[in-house]
Amino acid sequence: MAPTPTGRLVRSAHRTDLVIKRTFPASIHDVWSSITDSEKTAQWYGPWRTTSGDNPTAGSSISVHMLFEDGQPWCDARIEFCEAPHRLDLALLAGADESAAWHVSLTLTETTGFTTLALAHRIDPGINLGDIGAGWEYYLDMLVSAREGTPQPNFADYYPAQREHFDSQVAVDE
């Protein structure tokens, strides 16, 4: 059965984000380690290494080995904001042109033993929602799979099948 897309566009005062959420029966610290520990990110997104010092913090640069992308490229990123274990903001860089960066925020909240991860991808001019939405759904389901020890999803079940869902999105006010 094909996965159902959950992402939606949310408009705030200054921008529009694609927001996709997943909830885990785990503490916020446990989920935080799944999105910040290189050995754990290797299981669902790709391992990373710092390119500017030993302890990455806001302003640091990292490089992520995209193990689940064609050709398994390395992708440079900059940590824009980090407030462990609640929020991590990244600029995913497309080469030397920082104006083409994808701005992604990962926010975690814990309520009675469950942690919700909200991924927000800022929708800047030139970003095609139909092309990126399915990818984020896939990666978050990869995270679920890695945490649960279940078989990894197949990207072909997400794209292009979910493209219409994302192309038809209309932003709702936050």
Side-chain angles (χ1 to χ4, degrees):
M1 183 165 90
T4 302
T6 62
R8 63 187 183 99
L9 282 181
V10 176
R11 182 179 35 243
S12 62
H14 304 288
R15 66 187 215 203
T16 300
D17 292 319
L18 169 63
V19 178
I20 304 173
K21 296 179 181 181
R22 297 294 186 271
T23 300
F24 303 93
S27 74
I28 195 169
H29 295 283
D30 186 33
V31 177
W32 179 258
S33 71
S34 291
I35 65 169
T36 59
D37 181 304
S38 180
E39 289 181 23
K40 292 182 180 180
T41 61
Q43 299 170 17
W44 65 275
Y45 192 74
W48 58 269
R49 64 180 181 219
T50 183
T51 57
S52 60
D54 291 336
N55 278 329
T57 59
S60 297
S61 295
I62 62 171
S63 191
V64 182
H65 194 186
M66 306 295 293
L67 294 180
F68 304 98
E69 295 287 327
D70 288 340
Q72 298 186 344
W74 284 87
C75 173
D76 293 328
R78 183 181 57 255
I79 300 170
E80 295 184 317
F81 181 83
C82 182
E83 182 186 319
H86 299 284
R87 191 172 129 206
L88 176 64
D89 293 357
L90 300 167
L92 305 175
L93 307 173
D97 183 9
E98 291 207 16
S99 67
W102 285 2
H103 297 273
V104 177
S105 180
L106 302 164
T107 304
L108 286 78
T109 54
E110 182 178 4
T111 307
T112 59
F114 288 85
T115 298
T116 297
L117 167 64
L119 179 145
H121 182 134
R122 188 172 78 200
I123 304 303
D124 292 323
I127 290 180
N128 184 320
L129 196 59
D131 287 340
I132 65 162
W136 287 125
E137 294 276 1
Y138 167 75
Y139 276 117
L140 290 180
D141 286 348
M142 288 283 287
L143 172 58
V144 170
S145 168
R147 291 185 53 81
E148 294 178 349
T150 57
Q152 293 178 336
N154 184 339
F155 184 67
D157 292 335
Y158 293 78
Y159 186 85
Q162 293 184 359
R163 187 176 192 154
E164 185 178 328
H165 167 82
F166 289 103
D167 281 341
S168 68
Q169 290 288 302
V170 175
V172 295
D173 292 326
E174 197 170 39

